Amino acid sequence: MSQPPPQQGFGAPYEPRPGVYGDPGQPQPGPYGQQSGPYGQPPQSSYGCPPQPPPVPYGRPQPQPPNRPSGRRSRGRLAGLVAAVLAGALVIGAGVWFVVGGDDASDGRKPVAKESIAPKQPGAGPSRKKTPAAEAAEINKGRKEGEAKVRWIQKNGVDLPLGAAALGPWVTGDTVVKAMHRTVSGYSLEDGSQEWSLRLPTDVCAAPTGPTADGKIVIGLLTDTSADRTCDKLQMIDLATGEAGWSATIDRAVHNDDLRYVIMAISGDVVTIGGLGRAEAYRVSDGKHLWGKLPGPCKVEGFAGGAVMLASVICPAQSKGAIDTEVRRIDPVTGRTLWTYKVRKDWNVDAVYSVDPPVIFLRNGPLVGGTSAIAVLNDDGTARFRPVSGGDTLEGLCPGKEREVGWNLDICMGVAVDTDTDTLYVTTKRRPVGRTKRRPVGRTKSRPVVRWFTNDVVAFDMSTGKRKWKVPSPPTQTLMPLRVEGGKVLMYLSPPDPKTKDVGGGIMTLGPQGGTPRPVLRHPASAAATERTFDEPIVLHADGRSLLMIPQVYGETDEEEMERRTMIAFGD
């Protein structure tokens, strides 16, 4: 599975110690990259998580802070919105004709990058008053032989206006970076202390799943601090130093849209902006606007980045009011379409798990009660195979989709590809285990939810599409494939329910022949209660260490919100 350009790891590879799980497999060194993400999905850095959707949330819905617009929508709803726009254009005979923009700025409406007006890095220097290692040290007192230590735990510590999305994490060198509300902050991977903090003039409203190979990111910002939720400002940031680079404003008149739903992706030195028909591309290094339209009457839903750039596109069908869905490979520099894969009628693109080879998650109908499928394509965009599920519901986990902002096509985990052995690893939909409990929805309401789940990991032969084997997760725990490394699939194992003692989460591995998952990194059982607060986290793993981050920060009270743990790092 293609992942974003590798990012430097930190520390020496972890040597697992023998423990109750038996002989751990050999550690798999690799750069701490974003998953294809942070989450084992498609964008992809060697992090395996992560990351990146238009957006039909997988799994149970997440709480939305009250009195704020719920950006949440399903891919079907998004397709419906664009279909309505396309249908209207066809009825009135006007339509929208897209042409490749290239470097031409003759229309006078192309956004121009300019010197950043965002505030620079504060001169006071890094804040190290409170070390995140303190709570970790307390947990490590209960660590047993064979378990990795908790390196540090980061708390929110910010009084947010009814919660906020946390974007990232992005890793460069020895620094991990996250963006939240009106701040982008870099933290030491070694001890979690803050290395730099960049204040922003308005809220962060979008960001790519992975950065460039040299540690640059471009984020989206709201126009201003008013109730208008328009996400039309771009800001480049150096993740190593926290310095703000170029900035630009997207010309909304070009597409006549309000830029409320923005999906971003990076491929090479190009960042793309898509969502609800929009298509824009800028050079990350200097902010030059590269192109802004795709040819024809089709509309872009979003892009997936990494070694290859893919786009989810919807076009007006022959039937009045109907739409056709396509997946296109796009040259990120020119915007030229290199190949097109036509999705079956009435199916929508939910997520891109890998861009090289292309692995596409499709859905027909609503999230609840709909039908899902996975399409694996050849390098030329032709269909290779669709896994024969044999009654299993194949569905990954997209930990970034509960955010109010920042949904990307490549944010999901739960699928990994091994091209050497022609093996596709896929997780099944999580099955509820045990009774329900009340979960807060904002600060005023709650709803019953099933708190504990389990699932299976299924392997498919990519040459035939047939199932090779299925391995179950332990009771009340789930396994999520992150990526393939050293001929084995790396998976995140969630912590068990509170009744299960002496067991924590961790990173596990399986070979192409299946068998029993073996531990690569065992998170301490003494940290299980803390790890359980990271519900559906973004997971990164490299060099014998792992990092978890929650994608949405919220609390029923200001105090609870301030104390909310947002990141936790494991490893010796």
Side-chain angles (χ1 to χ4, degrees), residues 110-118 120 223 232-236 244-250 282-289:
K110 300 276 193 235
V112 178
K114 56 187 176 182
E115 185 177 348
S116 171
I117 58 173
K120 299 294 182 179
T223 302
D232 65 353
K233 306 290 185 183
L234 300 177
Q235 177 65 62
M236 190 272 274
W246 59 266
S247 63
T249 300
I250 299 173
Y282 293 81
R283 196 155 55 202
V284 177
S285 55
D286 61 10
K288 180 180 180 181
H289 185 267

Side-chain angles (χ1 to χ4, degrees), residues 262-352:
V262 174
I263 297 165
M264 300 181 71
I266 282 179
S267 184
D269 191 32
V270 177
V271 60
T272 52
I273 299 94
L276 202 60
R278 173 164 292 278
E280 302 283 352
Y282 293 81
R283 196 155 55 202
V284 177
S285 55
D286 61 10
K288 180 180 180 181
H289 185 267
L290 299 177
W291 48 271
K293 299 177 182 178
L294 296 183
C298 301
K299 301 231 178 225
V300 175
E301 290 188 290
F303 296 94
V308 170
M309 178 153 288
L310 300 181
S312 173
V313 179
I314 56 177
C315 306
Q318 292 183 348
S319 302
K320 181 178 178 181
I323 61 170
D324 291 330
T325 301
E326 299 176 352
V327 175
R328 298 182 184 181
R329 178 176 174 180
I330 303 293
D331 182 331
V333 176
T334 66
R336 184 168 65 93
T337 297
L338 302 179
W339 53 251
T340 299
Y341 169 75
K342 294 187 179 297
V343 178
R344 286 186 297 176
K345 183 177 175 58
D346 298 328
W347 286 74
N348 301 308
V349 175
D350 253 3
V352 177

Side-chain angles (χ1 to χ4, degrees), residues 89-107:
L90 291 172
V91 169
I92 64 175
V96 179
W97 189 260
F98 286 62
V99 296
V100 177
D103 293 338
D104 181 19
S106 59
D107 62 3

Side-chain angles (χ1 to χ4, degrees), residues 24-25 34 61 144 176 253 286 438 504 543 552 563:
Q34 256 68 31
K144 299 177 181 178
V176 57
D286 61 10
R438 305 298 296 185
D543 294 344
Q552 183 78 24
E563 291 296 309

Side-chain angles (χ1 to χ4, degrees), residues 58 341 343-344 347-348 350-354 357-364 371-377 383-389 392-396 413-417 424-429 458 460 462 465:
Y58 293 105
Y341 169 75
V343 178
R344 286 186 297 176
W347 286 74
N348 301 308
D350 253 3
V352 177
Y353 284 101
S354 171
V359 179
I360 316 298
F361 189 89
L362 306 171
R363 187 178 297 281
N364 183 354
T371 304
S372 60
I374 293 176
V376 179
L377 310 182
R384 181 173 183 182
F385 82 99
R386 291 193 178 189
V388 180
S389 62
D392 292 313
T393 301
L394 306 178
E395 186 163 285
M413 65 180 177
V415 174
V417 181
L424 176 72
Y425 301 93
V426 186
T427 183
T428 64
K429 186 175 182 179
V458 186
F460 293 92
M462 292 175 62

Side-chain angles (χ1 to χ4, degrees), residues 385-409:
F385 82 99
R386 291 193 178 189
V388 180
S389 62
D392 292 313
T393 301
L394 306 178
E395 186 163 285
L397 180 66
C398 300
K401 285 189 175 181
E402 69 268 25
R403 295 166 170 157
E404 291 183 58
V405 299
W407 300 317
N408 293 328
L409 272 176

